Amino acid sequence: MRTHHVLIGLVTLVIAMAVVSFTAERKDAAASPFTVGFVLPVTGDFGVYGEAARNAGLLAVEELRQQGMSITAIVEDDRLDSKLAVSAAKKLLEVDKVDALVSFSSGETLAVCPLTRAAGVILLTEASSPEVSKCGGYTFRNFPSDVNQGRVLADRARVGGYEKVFVAYLDNDYGAGLKQEFERNFTGEAMVEAFAVQQRDFRTLVAKIKQYAPDLVVLISYPTEGSQLLTQMDQLGLRAPIIGSESTKDDSIIPLLPKGVAERFAAVAVADYTGIEAARFRESYEARFGKKPAVFADYVYDNVMLLGAAIKRCPSAEGRPACLATQIRGTTFVGATGKITFDAQGDVQAKPYDLFRITGNTFVVAK
């Protein structure tokens, strides 16, 4: 009987110790808050997209808080300027001591990724430049590399029977990277010319396009610059068909285009995801902010929700960056943009692309 009493006492003690240990771990997890920093173009010419990106990120943070997570967001504005992005990232990393960083565009991501790599901090982005694959460290992007889009643009030109192409591209990391991938894959004749971010007068560029007399114009641009270039092409009598990069597939560009241009214009972009997660995001965004999300906002939302899923598996602050990287790299996550899985370089696995044309006041898949 004494033996039984001793055994029972030992078992009770072990269970009690386990409960205490488990409770301590739970308290430690609850006491390990998480801070995510955002480096986004909230103002400036790209502000309409940066604002939507910020809103989407904050919406995700709010939803994670509702799930009981202790997470805080700090937003810094880079105005689509690499120097400002570096300054913002340094402040977030060195002063605010953020646990993860979310960035938006290619040039700014490439500027800050050496900082996050040196700090051992997770960087989540939707930047598409092929150079992002070289960031290493704890960098992950949920938008396909322009290696894929460049190939698709070249394939579309080939399938359309176009043999003489003029490529007008933004003079930044995004534009240069995509232009390079198009040239690498296109087998016909091509002339290329860069234009500046925020450029307004395109008469010289349009004259060069007209003189070259291409079968097709490939436009690698943001909506603001793209709409002005296309309008000036129409004003100067240039009637060539146009295929735009994924950044031009934004409904905001449609009312800015002359009717004739809209009929000749198409855009290559990642195929729209139509799952329930996409619908839920749009509904939540519109309910929270009273308007539709701008292009690419859903990728920021997914990056934060993906991060939240990883945080749940890495509750302790000790060793968390490595734990988060392991969880993110090994995840299969389905969000507003569809299925997300990463390769060894932190790039999202390839997604399908479609050709979109303007119908009414929106873009639809071309038949």
Side-chain angles (χ1 to χ4, degrees), residues 126 128 142-146 148-150 152-153 156 174 244-249 267-274 295-296 298-299 336-340 348-356 363-365:
E126 59 188 84
S128 60
N142 64 352
F143 193 89
S145 165
D146 283 333
N148 302 293
Q149 187 183 176
V152 173
L153 278 169
R156 286 292 178 178
Y174 161 65
S245 61
E246 92 286 329
S247 290
T248 63
K249 180 194 166 271
V268 164
V270 174
D272 290 333
Y273 176 62
T274 57
V295 64
F296 305 133
D298 47 356
Y299 286 90
T337 61
K339 183 179 178 181
I340 300 171
V348 70
Q349 299 283 6
K351 294 190 175 188
Y353 283 78
D354 279 329
L355 183 71
F356 295 84
F363 281 89
V364 298
V365 178

Side-chain angles (χ1 to χ4, degrees), residues 3-17:
T3 302
H4 286 297
H5 284 306
V6 170
L7 288 174
I8 292 171
L10 286 172
V11 170
T12 303
L13 178 61
V14 170
I15 292 174
M17 291 176 66

Side-chain angles (χ1 to χ4, degrees), residues 201-268:
D201 187 345
F202 292 95
R203 286 174 294 181
T204 300
L205 177 56
V206 173
K208 290 181 179 180
I209 299 173
K210 197 169 183 178
Q211 184 178 35
Y212 184 66
D215 301 326
L216 174 73
V217 174
V218 172
L219 176 61
I220 301 172
S221 178
Y222 300 140
T224 301
E225 293 86 349
S227 64
Q228 296 193 27
L229 172 55
L230 293 175
T231 298
Q232 291 174 44
M233 285 171 58
D234 185 68
Q235 291 171 345
L236 294 176
L238 188 55
R239 301 290 185 260
I242 310 112
I243 294 182
S245 61
E246 92 286 329
S247 290
T248 63
K249 180 194 166 271
D250 185 351
D251 289 350
S252 69
I253 200 174
I254 297 174
L256 304 176
L257 299 179
K259 182 179 179 181
V261 173
E263 293 172 350
R264 298 192 305 275
F265 180 73
V268 164

Side-chain angles (χ1 to χ4, degrees), residues 85-97:
V86 168
S87 177
K90 285 184 176 180
K91 184 257 185 184
L92 290 168
L93 293 168
E94 298 173 8
V95 179
D96 299 312
K97 306 293 184 183

Side-chain angles (χ1 to χ4, degrees), residues 33-301:
F34 196 94
T35 303
V36 56
F38 294 86
V39 179
L40 307 170
V42 181
T43 62
D45 282 1
F46 214 66
V48 63
Y49 308 103
E51 179 186 10
R54 178 198 63 190
N55 291 346
L58 294 180
L59 176 64
V61 169
E62 289 175 4
E63 292 181 4
L64 292 174
R65 284 177 180 166
Q66 291 170 4
Q67 297 174 18
M69 186 173 295
S70 178
I71 183 169
T72 303
I74 302 175
V75 180
E76 295 292 338
D77 183 9
D78 65 23
R79 296 181 61 86
L80 208 67
D81 182 295
S82 296
K83 291 181 179 179
L84 291 179
V86 168
S87 177
K90 285 184 176 180
K91 184 257 185 184
L92 290 168
L93 293 168
E94 298 173 8
V95 179
D96 299 312
K97 306 293 184 183
V98 297
D99 300 290
L101 209 63
V102 176
S103 66
F104 189 74
S105 52
S106 292
E108 290 61 48
T109 297
L110 291 171
V112 305
C113 77
L115 303 178
T116 55
R117 182 172 62 243
V121 170
I122 295 289
L123 173 62
L124 296 165
T125 185
E126 59 188 84
S128 60
S129 169
E131 294 299 308
V132 173
S133 299
K134 301 176 184 178
C135 279
Y138 297 150
T139 302
F140 299 90
R141 63 159 150 202
N142 64 352
F143 193 89
S145 165
D146 283 333
V147 168
N148 302 293
Q149 187 183 176
R151 182 176 61 251
V152 173
L153 278 169
D155 287 345
R156 286 292 178 178
R158 177 183 55 79
V159 170
Y162 301 112
E163 298 179 350
K164 187 179 182 182
V165 174
F166 192 104
V167 181
Y169 68 97
L170 277 169
D171 190 13
N172 62 7
D173 290 288
Y174 161 65
L178 183 49
K179 180 267 299 184
Q180 183 178 30
E181 293 303 323
F182 177 85
E183 288 184 298
R184 184 174 295 158
N185 289 277
F186 185 61
T187 57
E189 178 185 340
M191 181 176 180
V192 300
E193 184 84 13
F195 59 89
V197 176
Q198 300 181 19
Q199 184 168 326
R200 296 293 181 264
D201 187 345
F202 292 95
R203 286 174 294 181
T204 300
L205 177 56
V206 173
K208 290 181 179 180
I209 299 173
K210 197 169 183 178
Q211 184 178 35
Y212 184 66
D215 301 326
L216 174 73
V217 174
V218 172
L219 176 61
I220 301 172
S221 178
Y222 300 140
T224 301
E225 293 86 349
S227 64
Q228 296 193 27
L229 172 55
L230 293 175
T231 298
Q232 291 174 44
M233 285 171 58
D234 185 68
Q235 291 171 345
L236 294 176
L238 188 55
R239 301 290 185 260
I242 310 112
I243 294 182
S245 61
E246 92 286 329
S247 290
T248 63
K249 180 194 166 271
D250 185 351
D251 289 350
S252 69
I253 200 174
I254 297 174
L256 304 176
L257 299 179
K259 182 179 179 181
V261 173
E263 293 172 350
R264 298 192 305 275
F265 180 73
V268 164
V270 174
D272 290 333
Y273 176 62
T274 57
I276 189 172
E277 297 84 2
R280 186 182 298 123
F281 164 70
R282 289 193 299 270
E283 291 170 3
S284 297
Y285 187 100
E286 290 182 36
R288 176 68 174 81
F289 301 105
K291 54 186 174 182
K292 294 181 179 180
V295 64
F296 305 133
D298 47 356
Y299 286 90
V300 176
Y301 174 85

